[in-house]
Amino acid sequence: MLTDYHLHLRRDGAEYTAADHHSAENAAAYRAAASERGISELGVSEHIYRFTEALEIWRHPFWERFASDDLAAYCAFVREETDLRLGIEADFIPGAEDRTAELLARHDFDYVVGSVHFIRDGAVDMDDFSVWGSGRSVQEIWRRYFETVAESVRSGLFDIIAHPDLVKYWGDGARRPEGDLRRYYEPAIEAIAETKVAVEVSTAGLRKPVGELYPATPFLEMVLEAGAPIALSSDAHTPGDVGAGYEVALEVLGSLGIREIALFDRRARTLAPLGGEEAK
Ligand SMILES: [Zn+2]
Ligand SMILES: [Zn+2]
């Protein structure tokens, strides 16, 4: 079994509307690309900040710029017009746990992908609202990043922890501490060991400046030791990126002896043997 659960049918630009990409035709293009790559289990997880309801959780100016879609309409579209699992990518916003839980409970998702893109108001992976250059040291940003991931894990809001070392996004020496990075991972790993939440292996990092899988192999080794399962995704925003780089991910997973991946159905998790299927 191969999965791709972290998919965006919608592209990121503010110029696109939901109608541009939330069509049965676009979903079928993702399904066709997945079939070619032997991936049978697919789900869509649009960014929560695309939906007007998200402004109940957070009113960051970045969210205000993008919050235009109707969440109930998205859920109905995925359930009624596609054969994809219904997910959502929800940012962890410290202090807004109750409002986030309440919003998520209104809809019957198969899974919720939890992500940390911001430290307070500063984004780790965007030039807009960037946390870099905010006066904090690189060490402080990395420390705070993984502490926030730990909080997101313990919140219990999420089924999958997305791109767990996104803070390495830029890949340049100036935004990456020196030496062994495992000391930064430890708080997140402790929380993962306590909760056994599924941790995403994402090939998106291969397409970003860093040019590596999320998470780095040492992080993944620590997840294994912690006894938590893996969820596999590409974070594609176009059909061409569905399952992109899976050969790299499968090699790493194989070399670590990972034989199973997580599947989700109405927020219940099962494990399935990991492996590609014959292309259809
Ligand atoms: Zn993300
Ligand atoms: Zn995403």
Side-chain angles (χ1 to χ4, degrees), residues 82-265:
T82 81
D83 58 359
L84 310 179
R85 295 265 178 215
L86 174 60
I88 189 163
E89 177 176 8
D91 290 71
F92 174 66
I93 307 300
E97 291 87 343
D98 290 350
R99 298 197 296 282
T100 305
E102 202 211 312
L103 188 160
L104 294 173
R106 283 180 218 152
H107 305 279
D108 66 337
F109 297 111
D110 287 312
Y111 56 87
V112 177
V113 178
S115 54
V116 177
H117 298 106
F118 289 85
I119 298 172
R120 298 240 181 138
D121 288 344
V124 299
D125 62 340
M126 291 195 297
D127 287 321
D128 276 1
F129 309 106
S130 178
V131 74
W132 308 99
S134 64
R136 294 199 182 100
S137 70
V138 170
Q139 292 77 9
E140 165 75 358
I141 291 169
W142 275 61
R143 189 176 61 73
R144 287 288 302 275
Y145 187 80
F146 290 101
E147 284 172 6
T148 309
V149 171
E151 267 186 82
S152 79
V153 169
R154 287 201 181 92
S155 74
L157 291 166
F158 310 118
D159 303 298
I160 299 170
I161 300 304
H163 43 61
D165 62 348
L166 181 75
V167 69
K168 73 181 179 186
Y169 177 94
W170 298 99
D172 59 57
R175 284 182 271 195
R176 187 181 190 117
E178 306 234 315
D180 190 337
L181 298 172
R182 283 179 292 191
R183 66 193 186 281
Y184 292 98
Y185 306 155
E186 269 159 19
I189 298 295
E190 237 172 72
I192 289 164
E194 277 167 36
T195 58
K196 313 292 186 207
V197 70
V199 175
E200 179 180 84
V201 170
S202 168
T203 58
L206 297 169
R207 310 190 298 274
K208 298 293 157 55
V210 68
E212 296 174 9
L213 291 174
Y214 300 123
T217 302
F219 189 107
L220 200 47
E221 286 168 345
M222 291 165 85
V223 170
L224 281 190
E225 255 170 63
I230 298 302
L232 178 61
S233 293
S234 69
D235 207 346
H237 289 64
T238 63
D241 282 339
V242 176
Y246 269 29
E247 64 289 350
V248 177
L250 291 174
E251 201 182 312
V252 171
L253 292 170
S255 74
L256 296 177
I258 295 171
R259 307 256 177 271
E260 290 182 313
I261 48 170
L263 304 183
F264 295 90
D265 182 358

